[in-house]
Amino acid sequence: MREIETKYRVADLEALLVALQAAGVELGEPVFQDDQAYAPAGWRPEMGKVGHTFARLRSLDGGMHVFTTKTPLANPMECAEYETTVADREQMHGAVLAMGFEPNVRIVKHRRAGRAGRTEVCVDLVEGVGAFLELELVVDDDRDGLTAQAELDTWACGLGVELERTTDTYDILVRAAVV
């Protein structure tokens, strides 16, 4: 599976919520997500993300834990992705370290999610960096990622609210905020 996404910094959260409702997107209740991001041993941001596999260990407020690997393809917002639930966060953390990954940054957020057709629409309040709109499309075909991102961007711009598109992933944004 590939995940293709676009991400936007939100200037006016209330205006976004109204626009999403008008577009027929029903967002669920906020879910707390505590993510530990991992990078390959020796990786540094100046090396770029494309072609490197990264890992994430997420805990949700309901007590569920999810392990994910992402390998950016054409750009950091188009990734080959593998994901599964895990029973024990601490044991998985140890396994991730044993696989040669290094803890990178902790990302803490509240996410409300909904759908617009096949697109997952997420409104995230990320501690230390603010509010974001994230559009995610999971595909199992060979569609062009940049074309899909352009289509997601057209949909986001059609909401008629002030959004600032970013190509940075949350780990990069959080790291920049704490430096």
Side-chain angles (χ1 to χ4, degrees), residues 10-173:
V10 175
D12 183 341
L13 181 58
E14 288 306 314
L16 174 64
L17 295 174
V18 168
L20 289 172
Q21 186 175 29
V25 177
E26 293 184 33
L27 295 174
E29 291 299 314
V31 175
F32 178 75
Q33 296 181 342
D34 180 358
D35 295 353
Q36 176 61 62
Y38 302 87
W43 180 85
R44 296 175 314 284
E46 59 269 16
M47 296 169 72
K49 288 188 144 194
V50 173
H52 299 276
T53 298
F54 297 84
R56 177 185 69 213
L57 184 54
R58 171 175 289 166
S59 292
L60 303 167
D61 61 3
M64 186 170 89
H65 310 292
V66 180
F67 176 70
T68 306
T69 63
K70 294 186 177 201
T71 306
L73 302 170
N75 61 61
M77 299 287 181
E78 178 190 1
C79 298
E81 182 176 289
Y82 296 93
E83 187 170 88
T84 190
T85 59
V86 295
D88 186 314
R89 181 182 174 109
E90 290 308 312
Q91 286 295 309
M92 191 68 221
H93 172 75
V96 173
L97 297 178
M99 286 184 265
F101 287 94
E102 297 175 343
N104 184 4
V105 67
R106 197 82 173 248
I107 304 152
V108 177
K109 65 182 174 288
H110 288 86
R111 170 171 280 183
R112 293 183 68 192
R115 297 204 71 77
R118 294 188 55 221
T119 302
E120 183 174 18
V121 178
C122 302
V123 176
D124 294 331
L125 300 177
V126 184
E127 286 186 14
V129 293
F132 290 84
L133 170 66
E134 190 173 280
L135 303 176
E136 299 178 354
L137 186 61
V138 176
V139 299
D140 61 357
D141 56 30
D142 62 353
R143 78 180 70 193
D144 181 69
L146 294 175
T147 300
Q149 288 169 330
E151 292 167 0
L152 293 171
D153 190 53
T154 297
W155 188 89
C157 291
L159 292 171
V161 296
E162 184 180 344
L163 299 171
E164 176 189 342
R165 187 169 174 185
T166 180
T167 56
D168 289 329
T169 54
Y170 286 141
D171 61 321
I172 299 295
L173 292 167

